[in-house]
Amino acid sequence: MQTVLSIAIDAFAYGMALFIICIGLSLTMGLMRVVNLAHGAFAMIAGYIASYAARDLGLGYAVAIFLAIIGTVVISIPLERLLYRRIYGRPELTQVLMTIGITFCIIGITNYFFGPTLKTIPLPGSLSQPVDVGFKTIAAHRLFVMACGIVVAGGLWYLIEKTDFGIKLRATVDNAAMADALGVRTQVVYAVSFAIAIGLAALGGVVGAEFLPIEPYYALRYMVTFLVVVSVGGAGSIPGAVAACLLLGAVDTTGRYLMPEFGNFFFYAAVIAIVCVFPRGFFGRAQ
C-alpha cells in the first residue's frame, strides 16, 4: 500500500510539473498556431537564471523564481518581435525549422558560457522537509509543485474563458483578419500570449527542476516529451493537457518504480496507444 501511495504522489507531482511547462506550448500550438520547438529552451533559461540567483547570489527561492520568470520573458521579447512574428501564419515546416534553429543556438550559447554540467536550484528549508499528511509523509516540494499546477490550471482557464483578453485571443485565433478589422490589436494579443506561454515555461522549468534536471541539452532531451504531451492532450486544451500530463506521468512513474530497466518504454507505448484511439488527442479540435 505504501508503494502504491508513493507512486500516486510522485506521479501527480511529476504530472503537474509537466503540465506547468507544457501548457504554454499547448496554447502556443493550439491557439497561436505556432509549433515552437524552442519552448523547452526557455524553460532551461529560467532554470539557469534561478540557479544563479539562488546558488551563486544567495537569494531566496521565491525571489529566484520571480527573477527567472521575468528574465526569461525579457529575453523572449526581442526574439518574438524579430523572429517569431515572421512565422505567425506560415507553414508548419517553416516554424519547425526556425524554432529548432533557435533551440540549437540557445544550447550552444549555454554550453559555451556555463559548461556541460547540471545546475541545481537549492530549495528552502520549508520545501526540503517532509510534511506529515496523516497517512503518509510527503516531500513539501512535491506538495508545492502540485499546488502550483492546480493554480496555473485554474488561473489560465479563467484568463481564457472569463476575461476580455481571453475573448480577444479566441477571436484572433478564429479569424485574425476580422478581429483586426474590428479593432483588436492582434499583434499585441499574440505578443502577450507568447509572453504568458514563455512565463509558464519558465515557472515549470524552475519548480520542475527536481524532476527534469537543468543542463545545456535540456531543450533537446525533453523536446519530444513536451510535444507528445501536447499531442495526447490536444493542442490548446487546458483539460486535455491536465489529463495527458497526469496519465502519462502515472504511466512513466509506475514503470520507473516497478520496471526501471525498461526506461521510457511504457511512456511512449502509452502515447502510441492513446494517439491510435484519439488521433487529435483527448480534447483536440479539428483544425
Side-chain angles (χ1 to χ4, degrees), residues 1-284:
M1 189 61 185
Q2 287 297 316
T3 301
V4 173
L5 289 174
S6 296
I7 292 174
I9 292 167
D10 286 350
F12 188 69
Y14 176 51
M16 286 293 96
L18 275 181
F19 169 76
I20 298 171
I21 298 175
C22 294
I23 188 59
L25 178 60
S26 179
L27 295 178
T28 301
M29 292 178 62
L31 298 184
M32 297 176 64
R33 306 287 194 266
V34 175
V35 183
N36 183 17
L37 296 188
H39 189 78
F42 292 106
M44 179 186 73
I45 290 171
Y48 272 87
I49 294 174
S51 176
Y52 179 75
R55 191 182 63 177
D56 298 330
L57 299 181
L59 301 176
Y61 188 69
V63 176
I65 293 177
F66 176 78
L67 291 177
I69 294 173
I70 297 300
T72 306
V73 171
V74 168
I75 291 172
S76 74
I77 290 174
L79 292 177
E80 193 275 337
R81 292 184 64 87
L82 298 175
L83 298 179
Y84 280 90
R85 287 193 182 184
R86 299 175 182 272
I87 60 173
Y88 291 156
R90 300 290 294 276
E92 292 179 352
L93 180 59
T94 302
Q95 298 174 352
V96 166
L97 293 175
M98 171 74 83
T99 56
I100 203 167
I102 293 171
T103 299
F104 279 108
C105 288
I106 292 175
I107 289 173
I109 293 171
T110 303
N111 205 26
Y112 178 80
F113 284 102
F114 299 100
T117 58
L118 290 173
K119 295 297 180 181
T120 58
I121 304 173
L123 296 175
S126 58
L127 293 181
S128 58
Q129 300 297 322
V131 176
D132 188 355
V133 294
F135 59 91
K136 184 177 175 58
T137 57
I138 304 174
H141 178 259
R142 278 166 166 68
L143 294 175
F144 174 70
V145 173
M146 296 176 196
C148 286
I150 294 171
V151 170
V152 166
L156 206 53
W157 174 85
Y158 183 84
L159 176 68
I160 293 174
E161 300 293 336
K162 300 295 183 179
T163 66
D164 289 342
F165 174 78
I167 294 173
K168 293 177 181 178
L169 174 60
R170 286 182 278 122
T172 301
V173 169
D174 290 337
N175 193 324
M178 181 61 71
D180 191 57
L182 292 174
V184 176
R185 300 175 63 186
T186 54
Q187 292 294 336
V188 174
V189 171
Y190 277 132
V192 173
S193 301
F194 185 81
I196 292 171
I198 297 304
L200 290 172
L203 175 62
V206 178
V207 302
E210 296 290 311
F211 301 97
L212 307 174
I214 302 297
E215 43 93 13
Y217 293 96
Y218 177 101
L220 281 182
R221 188 180 302 278
Y222 302 114
M223 179 186 292
V224 175
T225 300
F226 301 153
L227 284 174
V228 298
V229 166
V230 173
S231 298
V232 168
S237 170
I238 297 174
V242 172
C245 289
L246 292 180
L247 177 59
L248 295 177
V251 170
D252 194 35
T253 303
T254 303
R256 292 181 185 279
Y257 260 89
L258 303 181
M259 287 175 280
E261 64 275 8
F262 278 80
N264 290 325
F265 170 80
F266 294 106
F267 180 89
Y268 289 107
V271 170
I272 293 170
I274 294 169
V275 171
C276 286
V277 179
F278 302 96
R280 295 193 181 97
F282 289 141
F283 294 89

